[in-house]
Amino acid sequence: MLLTQLLVEHPGAIVDIVRQTPLWVGGLLAFLLGLGLSAARARSVTLTRLVLLPLAMLGLALWGVQSAFASSGRLGALLVVWALGYVAMLALSPRLSVPAGTRYDAARRSVHLPGSWVPMVLILVVFLMKYGIGVQLAMAPGLAHQAGFAYTVAAVYGLLSGLFGARTLCLLRLVRGNRRLATA
């Protein structure tokens, strides 16, 4: 890709790229890193908080497709590709297992989660992808009109945000199963 080639040939260009990045992007990164770091240690979260991360990643992915390709004339088709990737990952959720040590506390309506670096890695992949695509489109706006680039980006965004959703659905199955046991 254009950005990769630039950074390989001119590694110092990263300084100029970061310098031209709006300050709010740093704030967004700090927020996302906070979410990722909180997932790296064992914690209990409410059901509302449990769905916060996948909703944030869903929003970031949709924003990524819309902001990159709104002017391409393909936005509708690209959103369908995104949705297909998202649904494909959700379809995998029944095959995912709940992480060892995960427990649902019905009295507190919270889930105890073991620490994991997987959410941090996924958060960084989505953020860096969005950032990198934004930089590439700023350098070469014509990329937004290249079908292969646009459909690939939309599909990857859909798959990644769907993975967050699938992991959460897996945990919500645990909650639903425990609720059934409590009422039986």
Side-chain angles (χ1 to χ4, degrees):
M1 297 301 240
L2 185 61
L3 179 59
T4 307
Q5 181 181 354
L6 172 68
L7 293 177
V8 167
E9 293 174 7
H10 307 284
I14 190 72
V15 173
D16 289 330
I17 291 169
V18 171
R19 197 177 292 143
Q20 293 178 28
T21 300
L23 282 177
W24 66 264
V25 174
L28 176 62
L29 178 59
F31 171 74
L32 294 173
L33 288 174
L35 285 176
L37 286 172
S38 73
R41 59 177 169 48
R43 74 235 181 260
S44 290
V45 297
T46 64
L47 295 178
T48 302
R49 175 110 197 285
L50 184 67
V51 298
L52 177 65
L53 182 59
L55 287 177
M57 291 297 101
L58 181 140
L60 189 60
L62 283 174
W63 175 44
V65 173
Q66 189 279 328
S67 65
F69 305 111
S71 67
S72 72
R74 295 187 172 96
L75 186 58
L78 292 169
L79 290 173
V80 168
V81 168
W82 173 88
L84 290 171
Y86 189 85
V87 169
M89 292 308 288
L90 289 183
L92 292 177
S93 72
R95 296 184 178 176
L96 296 175
S97 59
V98 174
T102 303
R103 297 180 314 277
Y104 176 62
D105 182 342
R108 291 190 174 141
R109 294 186 39 117
S110 65
V111 179
H112 176 78
L113 300 168
S116 172
W117 287 99
V118 171
M120 175 65 90
V121 170
L122 292 173
I123 286 168
L124 287 175
V125 167
V126 171
F127 178 84
L128 291 173
M129 183 177 160
K130 168 78 176 100
Y131 184 79
I133 289 166
V135 170
Q136 288 195 143
L137 289 172
M139 293 169 46
L143 278 175
H145 300 284
Q146 292 182 9
F149 179 80
Y151 285 110
T152 300
V153 168
V156 173
Y157 274 144
L159 291 168
L160 289 171
S161 54
L163 184 54
F164 279 100
R167 289 171 50 92
T168 301
L169 282 178
C170 180
L171 294 171
L172 290 175
R173 278 197 320 274
L174 170 73
V175 170
R176 187 178 52 210
N178 281 329
R179 284 185 181 160
R180 283 190 198 138
L181 290 174
T183 59

